[in-house]
């Protein structure tokens, strides 16, 4: 029969407490682990909901007057323009110089 003394139990508990509270990053890692676990759970639920949703179906109606198919629903179409240069063509005044240097700033307002 194994005899457990109260002194051994107390020393064991003190060791466990020092191990848990003496390690400064322990609680941060535990919190991060639970946060990551909840995030993974949430993302899997969102993926399951996205999979379970039925496909979107839109009705096309043939217009005999214009001989075209028309969509009753409002929709947006993406238009790719290719390489577009959006640089602004501003006139640059060469005579003015702007600096953020406090030593060279003038004292007059």
């Amino acid at each position: 029969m194994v005899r457990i003394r109260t002194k051994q139990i107390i020393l064991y508990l003190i060791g466990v407490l020092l191990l848990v509270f003496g390690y400064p990053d322990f609680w941060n890692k535990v919190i991060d682990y639970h946060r990551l676990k909840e995030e993974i759970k949430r993302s899997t639920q969102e993926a399951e909901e996205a999979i379970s949703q039925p496909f979107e179906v839109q009705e096309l109606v043939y217009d005999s007057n214009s001989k075209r198919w028309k969509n009753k629903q409002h929709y947006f179409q993406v238009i790719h323009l290719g390489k577009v240069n959006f640089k602004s063509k501003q006139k640059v005044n060469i005579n003015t110089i702007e600096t953020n240097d406090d030593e060279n700033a003038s004292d007059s307002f």
Side-chain angles (χ1 to χ4, degrees), residues 54-65:
F55 290 105
E56 180 180 339
V57 179
Q58 296 181 355
E59 290 185 27
L60 296 175
V61 179
Y62 185 72
D63 186 12
S64 60
N65 294 335

Side-chain angles (χ1 to χ4, degrees), residues 10-66:
I10 292 172
L11 288 175
Y12 181 76
L13 290 175
I14 289 173
V16 168
L17 289 173
L18 285 175
L19 181 65
V20 170
F21 292 109
Y23 187 57
D25 293 333
F26 177 75
W27 292 112
N28 293 335
K29 288 184 179 182
V30 169
I31 291 170
D32 290 341
Y33 172 74
H34 287 295
R35 194 175 294 151
L36 180 65
K37 191 175 177 182
E38 290 175 5
E39 185 177 326
I40 290 171
K41 185 178 178 182
R42 186 176 346 109
S43 65
T44 54
Q45 286 177 350
E46 289 175 0
E48 288 175 0
E49 290 175 3
I51 291 172
S52 66
Q53 292 178 353
F55 290 105
E56 180 180 339
V57 179
Q58 296 181 355
E59 290 185 27
L60 296 175
V61 179
Y62 185 72
D63 186 12
S64 60
N65 294 335
S66 63

